[in-house]
C-alpha cells in the first residue's frame, strides 16, 4: 500500500492525474494501513476518488463496451468491482494506481512507464511502526464512543426496529412449528431462470452498488429516499427485503429465457411479460406457484456466499437442476431447503429439448425415510417430457436438513430440546 501511495505521490508531483473516465476507490484491509498512510503523509494522494461519471456509465451500457477493472483484492468475477465491468484483472496495489493513471489496461509498463518512482524504503521504515499495530489491536475490544454509547436492552431477545433499513426481522421462522414439515414435493413449478454454464455466486448473490432502476432502488425511491442514501447490498445484508430484491440482479447475467439478452430480468411464463427477477418471483409466489432454476455446469462457483442460497429461497425457488454444482454452494442450497438435482451425464436442458417454458414436477418420495443420498428421481413436464436426475442430497445429515425445511430450522428445533 505504501508503494502504491508513492506511485500516486510521484504522479502528483509530475502533474499526472487519473483519467476522467476512470473510477477509483480505496478500502484498506486494516486500521493499521490507514494509520501508516496518515503517518507517512501519503493518504492525501489516495483521496481523489469518485463514482463513475453517468455519461461514461451510459456510454458503456448503450454501446456494450467491455469495461475493465484492475484491483488488488482477491476476486475478479465480472461485475465484482462495478456492475459495468466485464474484464477484471488482479494486480498489486502499485500497479492498480499505475493503470488508473494510464486509463487503459492495453499498456506495457516495461516499455511505457508512467512517471518514475522514488526509493520508498525510508518511508516504510519511518511509517510502519510496531506501536501502531500494538495500539490498534489493544483497543479492538474496547469499541469506540459511538458503539459504547449504544443503549443495550435488558431482554434476552433482540428488539427489532421496524424502521431500520439495515437490520430487518427475516421471515425464516414465520409459521414454524416444532415438528419438522417433512419432504415437500415440487409440483407444476415454473422455471424462473434458465442458465448456461459457469453461473457464479457473484451472479446470484446481491453485491455492489444498488442500481438506480433495480427493484431495491424502486423500493427506496417509493419512500422518498435519494440515490446517495441507497448505500450498497453489502452494507444492507442484514435486510432480507433488500437482499431478496438484489438476488439475480447482476446486470451481466445471461438468462436463456431472454434469448441471449443480458441483464437482471426474466420472462414471466404465464403472461410472457419481461420483468425483473424479483418481480416475476413475487408474482409466482402470490399466485401459489413453485419455481425452479435450470442451469449448466459449475453452478454456484466462486465464493461460498450465504446470500447466493438465501436469496433464491426467499424468492420461492424450490429446486435447481444443473449439470454440476460447486461443492460448497450445493451444500448451502440444501441448508436453505432448496433441492439440488443433477442431469445425467451427457444430458442438459438443451439436449433434452427443455426451453424453460415448461412446468416441472419432481417425483420425490413423500416420506423422508424413502429418500436416499444420491438416488435418482424422475422429472416430468406439462408438455409430456420426462427425464431422470440425481438428487444431490449427499449425506444423511443433509436429508435431515431437508426434512426440517433447512439448517436454520434444524438447529432451532434441536436447541429447543436441550
Amino acid at each position: 500500500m505504501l508503494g502504491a501511495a508513492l506511485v500516486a505521490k510521484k504522479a502528483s508531483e509530475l502533474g499526472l492525474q487519473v483519467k476522467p473516465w476512470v473510477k477509483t476507490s480505496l478500502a484498506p484491509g486494516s486500521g493499521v494501513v490507514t494509520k501508516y498512510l496518515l503517518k507517512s503523509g501519503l493518504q492525501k494522494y489516495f483521496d481523489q476518488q469518485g463514482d463513475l461519471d453517468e455519461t461514461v456509465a451510459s456510454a458503456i451500457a448503450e454501446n456494450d463496451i467491455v469495461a475493465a477493472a484492475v484491483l488488488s483484492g482477491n476476486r475478479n468475477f465480472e461485475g465484482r468491482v462495478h456492475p459495468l465491468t466485464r474484464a477484471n484483472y488482479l494486480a498489486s496495489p502499485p500497479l492498480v494506481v499505475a493503470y488508473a493513471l494510464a486509463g487503459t489496461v492495453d499498456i506495457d509498463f516495461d516499455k511505457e512507464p508512467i512517471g518514475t518512482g522514488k526509493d520508498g524504503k525510508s518511508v516504510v521504515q519511518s511509517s510502519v511502526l510496531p506501536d501502531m499495530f500494538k495500539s490498534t489491536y489493544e483497543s479492538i475490544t474496547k469499541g469506540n464512543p459511538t458503539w459504547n454509547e449504544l443503549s443495550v436492552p435488558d431482554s434476552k431477545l433482540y428488539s427489532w426496529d421496524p424502521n431500520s433499513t439495515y437490520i430487518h426481522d427475516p421471515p425464516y421462522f414465520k409459521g414454524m412449528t416444532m415438528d419438522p414439515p417433512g419432504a415437500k414435493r415440487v409440483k407444476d413449478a415454473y422455471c424462473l431462470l434458465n442458465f448456461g454454464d459457469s453461473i457464479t455466486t457473484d451472479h446470484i448473490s446481491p453485491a455492489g452498488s444498488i442500481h438506480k432502476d433495480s427493484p431495491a432502488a424502486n423500493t427506496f425511491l417509493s419512500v422518498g429516499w435519494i440515490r446517495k442514501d441507497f448505500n450498497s447490498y453489502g452494507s444492507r445484508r442484514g435486510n432480507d427485503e433488500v437482499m431478496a430484491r438484489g438476488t439475480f440482479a447482476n446486470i451481466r447475467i445471461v438468462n436463456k429465457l431472454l434469448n441471449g439478452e443480458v441483464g437482471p430480468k426474466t420472462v414471466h411464463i404465464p403472461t410472457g411479460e419481461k420483468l425483473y427477477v424479483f418481480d416475476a418471483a413475487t408474482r409466482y409466489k402470490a399466485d401459489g406457484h413453485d419455481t425452479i432454476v435450470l442451469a449448466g455446469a459449475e453452478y454456484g462457483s466462486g465464493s461460498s456466499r450465504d446470500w447466493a442460497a438465501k436469496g433464491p429461497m426467499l424468492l420461492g425457488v424450490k429446486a435447481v437442476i444443473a449439470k454440476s454444482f460447486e461443492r460448497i454452494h450445493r451444500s448451502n442450497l440444501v441448508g436453505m431447503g432448496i433441492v439440488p438435482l443433477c442431469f445425467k451425464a451427457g444430458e442438459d436442458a438443451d439436449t433434452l429439448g427443455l426451453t424453460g417454458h415448461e412446468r416441472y414436477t419432481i417425483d420425490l418420495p413423500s416420506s423422508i425415510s424413502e429418500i436416499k443420498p444420491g438416488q435418482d428421481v424422475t422429472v416430468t413436464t406439462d408438455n409430456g417430457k420426462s427425464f431422470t436426475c440425481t438428487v444431490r442430497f449427499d449425506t444423511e445429515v443433509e436429508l435431515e436438513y431437508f426434512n426440517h425445511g433447512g439448517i436454520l430450522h434444524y438447529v432451532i428445533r434441536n436447541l429447543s430440546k436441550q
Side-chain angles (χ1 to χ4, degrees):
M1 290 296 289
L2 282 172
L6 286 170
V7 173
K9 178 177 182 292
K10 186 61 180 179
S12 178
E13 292 171 350
L14 293 172
L16 299 176
Q17 294 182 333
V18 172
K19 298 297 186 290
W21 56 85
V22 175
K23 176 190 182 298
T24 63
S25 62
L26 174 68
S30 76
V32 175
V33 174
T34 300
K35 280 193 174 183
Y36 62 65
L37 286 173
L38 290 170
K39 175 72 176 180
S40 64
L42 294 171
Q43 176 66 43
K44 62 183 179 181
Y45 299 105
F46 273 149
D47 285 341
Q48 293 183 350
Q49 305 171 40
D51 204 350
L52 196 62
D53 186 272
E54 282 291 341
T55 58
V56 176
S58 298
I60 292 172
E62 292 169 5
N63 296 282
D64 197 28
I65 295 172
V66 179
V70 184
L71 61 149
S72 61
N74 60 357
R75 296 288 187 274
N76 64 341
F77 300 127
E78 74 173 28
R80 167 80 177 197
V81 175
H82 190 279
L84 292 172
T85 59
R86 293 165 65 180
N88 300 270
Y89 302 97
L90 304 182
S92 66
L95 277 175
V96 172
V97 175
Y99 279 112
L101 292 166
T104 178
V105 294
D106 186 17
I107 185 172
D108 184 347
F109 286 117
D110 288 335
K111 300 176 181 177
E112 307 170 69
I114 299 183
T116 54
K118 293 181 179 178
D119 181 0
K121 187 174 181 180
S122 62
V123 174
V124 174
Q125 291 176 341
S126 64
S127 299
V128 186
L129 304 176
D131 65 322
M132 290 181 180
F133 288 86
K134 184 178 180 181
S135 64
T136 295
Y137 291 110
E138 272 184 345
S139 62
I140 198 167
T141 60
K142 298 177 182 177
N144 57 59
T146 303
W147 176 264
N148 294 335
E149 289 170 7
L150 287 175
S151 174
V152 181
D154 294 329
S155 171
K156 292 183 179 180
L157 297 178
Y158 181 77
S159 180
W160 299 99
D161 180 358
N163 297 317
S164 173
T165 59
Y166 282 93
I167 302 177
H168 182 261
D169 185 5
Y172 306 130
F173 307 112
K174 297 291 191 295
M176 177 181 168
T177 63
M178 291 311 299
D179 295 320
K184 290 185 177 180
R185 193 179 185 210
V186 180
K187 181 177 174 57
D188 292 330
Y190 283 101
C191 178
L192 181 63
L193 295 146
N194 183 6
F195 294 129
D197 296 340
S198 302
I199 293 296
T200 73
T201 51
D202 273 9
H203 287 118
I204 307 167
S205 183
S209 60
I210 297 175
H211 193 272
K212 62 183 179 66
D213 297 322
S214 66
N218 291 337
T219 299
F220 290 150
L221 291 171
S222 68
V223 294
W225 285 27
I226 57 177
R227 190 178 175 188
K228 71 178 183 65
D229 294 330
F230 288 179
N231 215 320
S232 66
Y233 287 114
S235 66
R236 296 187 181 279
R237 61 183 296 107
N239 188 327
D240 61 280
E241 293 185 334
V242 175
M243 298 299 277
R245 286 166 170 78
T247 301
F248 296 116
N250 189 298
I251 65 171
R252 300 307 314 167
I253 206 165
V254 179
N255 173 16
K256 293 180 181 179
L257 291 177
L258 295 178
N259 298 316
E261 180 181 334
V262 180
K265 293 187 178 182
T266 193
V267 175
H268 180 250
I269 304 302
T271 63
E273 292 178 81
K274 184 169 72 173
L275 304 172
Y276 281 105
V277 174
F278 173 81
D279 294 334
T282 300
R283 191 175 296 185
Y284 283 129
K285 289 176 67 176
D287 293 338
H289 299 309
D290 290 341
T291 55
I292 66 155
V293 170
L294 293 176
E298 302 174 341
Y299 182 79
S301 57
S303 301
S304 55
R305 302 184 182 282
D306 57 330
W307 273 106
K310 289 196 289 189
M313 182 273 287
L314 291 173
L315 294 182
V317 173
K318 303 300 182 185
V320 178
I321 309 176
K323 290 178 68 174
S324 62
F325 292 90
E326 191 279 332
R327 176 179 59 87
I328 298 177
H329 182 64
R330 181 206 61 79
S331 177
N332 287 347
L333 289 175
V334 175
M336 286 295 108
I338 296 175
V339 184
L341 301 104
C342 278
F343 291 107
K344 285 299 184 178
E347 296 183 345
D348 58 23
D350 292 337
T351 64
L352 293 169
L354 305 173
T355 65
H357 288 78
E358 308 87 356
R359 298 184 72 174
Y360 295 79
T361 296
I362 301 170
D363 192 21
L364 274 174
S366 57
S367 172
I368 198 71
S369 63
E370 298 176 18
I371 306 176
K372 305 300 178 185
Q375 79 175 61
D376 288 346
V377 297
T378 300
V379 181
T380 57
T381 66
D382 61 335
N383 61 354
K385 293 183 182 295
S386 177
F387 55 97
T388 301
C389 288
T390 300
V391 180
R392 291 297 309 278
F393 295 135
D394 291 357
T395 66
E396 295 290 343
V397 171
E398 289 185 342
L399 281 172
E400 270 301 295
Y401 294 161
F402 183 64
N403 183 44
H404 280 262
I407 190 171
L408 299 177
H409 306 84
Y410 172 84
V411 170
I412 291 296
R413 291 190 179 101
N414 277 274
L415 286 174
S416 68
K417 298 176 182 177
Q418 297 178 7

